[in-house]
Amino acid sequence: MGRITIRAWGRRLWGWAWRTLLGFVVLSVLLVLLFRQAPVFGSMVMVERKVQSWIAREPIELRHQWRPWGELSDHAKLAVIAAEDQRFPEHRGFDLVEMRRAWESNRAGGRLRGASTLSQQTAKNLFLWTGRSWARKGLEAWFTLLIESLWPKQRILEVYLNIAEWDSGVFGLEAAAQHYFGVSAGQLSAAQASRLAAILPNPRGWDAARPSAHVERRSAWIRQQMNNLGGPAYLERL
């Protein structure tokens, strides 16, 4: 009798796990399909920052304004590709070349380096949380595959630019452009766009308006890469 009961509980547990997994898959696909067209007015990272401020009892004002593709500076579009993911038009969500280089560098004891693509960063920022864990990386891979399968590249970059974090409480290109330079997202110059792209690795620690020597050097390198890619004409590949 005991063994029968254990077997029955095992079947129930398996059925519950299977239905939960199926429900998650269906819900995640529906969410990705919804955001293929609908403007994105928030992200899980924004929610995370708000919760962190409540816990720390340090109020934070979230600044964010959605802007469609045509109202985003071409300089900014190209700058983040040049800075973060130069094989963005070609890969299917994961840059295997950069992943191999990062693995070899880390194995050799060099500086830890990441290989996260714009697609991965979009998936993480929109649907998940910051921090490092195998669970989050697994979910990030799943959502990356979904958006790469269901969204065009242009949409991925559009959403990324609209939800990226650029300072404490500052999310999206429109808010960042106004915060740092007092202009709209469509008016950013190549120099301003390169500075914004330069601070993406540490947006709450670096300043695009008053750049350190390191940020200035990085922004100059980004502008050089933008030219090497062929300028705004490169965006036609998306």
Side-chain angles (χ1 to χ4, degrees), residues 100-118:
R100 186 183 69 250
R101 289 176 178 171
W103 181 76
E104 291 174 349
S105 174
N106 297 343
R107 187 183 63 168
R111 178 179 62 86
L112 290 176
R113 52 181 291 180
S116 183
T117 64
L118 289 173

Side-chain angles (χ1 to χ4, degrees), residues 68-134:
W69 178 261
E71 296 180 20
L72 301 173
S73 164
D74 284 350
H75 295 305
K77 298 168 187 174
L78 186 60
V80 297
I81 292 176
E84 300 286 302
D85 187 2
Q86 294 191 15
R87 277 179 283 273
F88 177 63
E90 286 81 34
H91 65 64
R92 299 301 302 166
F94 306 93
D95 190 336
L96 299 181
V97 174
E98 285 301 317
M99 290 173 68
R100 186 183 69 250
R101 289 176 178 171
W103 181 76
E104 291 174 349
S105 174
N106 297 343
R107 187 183 63 168
R111 178 179 62 86
L112 290 176
R113 52 181 291 180
S116 183
T117 64
L118 289 173
S119 303
Q120 289 173 273
Q121 294 178 52
T122 303
K124 179 197 70 175
N125 290 348
L126 183 57
F127 298 109
L128 304 172
W129 62 93
T130 60
R132 295 178 180 273
S133 70
W134 287 111

Side-chain angles (χ1 to χ4, degrees), residues 152-166:
K153 289 286 188 177
Q154 179 176 306
R155 178 60 174 179
I156 295 174
L157 183 57
E158 178 186 33
V159 171
Y160 175 80
L161 286 170
N162 271 286
I163 64 174
E165 185 176 29
W166 260 293

Side-chain angles (χ1 to χ4, degrees), residues 20-201:
T20 300
L21 178 61
L22 181 60
F24 167 76
V25 169
V26 171
L27 179 60
S28 58
V29 170
L30 289 176
L31 280 174
V32 171
L33 286 173
L34 171 66
F35 289 131
R36 190 180 194 274
Q37 297 292 340
V40 179
F41 294 111
S43 71
M44 287 306 298
V45 172
M46 294 183 204
V47 173
E48 179 182 351
R49 297 299 186 223
K50 198 68 174 178
V51 171
Q52 288 173 342
S53 73
W54 290 337
I55 294 174
R57 297 185 178 180
E58 297 176 355
I60 184 174
E61 177 188 358
L62 298 184
R63 283 169 283 177
H64 174 255
Q65 292 175 277
W66 171 268
R67 288 292 179 265
W69 178 261
E71 296 180 20
L72 301 173
S73 164
D74 284 350
H75 295 305
K77 298 168 187 174
L78 186 60
V80 297
I81 292 176
E84 300 286 302
D85 187 2
Q86 294 191 15
R87 277 179 283 273
F88 177 63
E90 286 81 34
H91 65 64
R92 299 301 302 166
F94 306 93
D95 190 336
L96 299 181
V97 174
E98 285 301 317
M99 290 173 68
R100 186 183 69 250
R101 289 176 178 171
W103 181 76
E104 291 174 349
S105 174
N106 297 343
R107 187 183 63 168
R111 178 179 62 86
L112 290 176
R113 52 181 291 180
S116 183
T117 64
L118 289 173
S119 303
Q120 289 173 273
Q121 294 178 52
T122 303
K124 179 197 70 175
N125 290 348
L126 183 57
F127 298 109
L128 304 172
W129 62 93
T130 60
R132 295 178 180 273
S133 70
W134 287 111
R136 201 220 69 191
K137 293 300 290 184
L139 289 171
E140 178 186 302
W142 166 247
F143 279 107
T144 298
L145 289 172
L146 281 184
I147 66 175
E148 278 283 347
S149 300
L150 300 175
W151 294 0
K153 289 286 188 177
Q154 179 176 306
R155 178 60 174 179
I156 295 174
L157 183 57
E158 178 186 33
V159 171
Y160 175 80
L161 286 170
N162 271 286
I163 64 174
E165 185 176 29
W166 260 293
D167 198 356
S168 180
V170 179
F171 291 88
L173 190 64
E174 178 67 25
Q178 294 183 16
H179 174 66
Y180 285 114
F181 305 115
V183 301
S184 69
Q187 297 175 320
L188 288 166
S189 67
Q192 291 169 335
S194 67
R195 286 184 177 179
L196 286 175
I199 68 171
L200 282 170

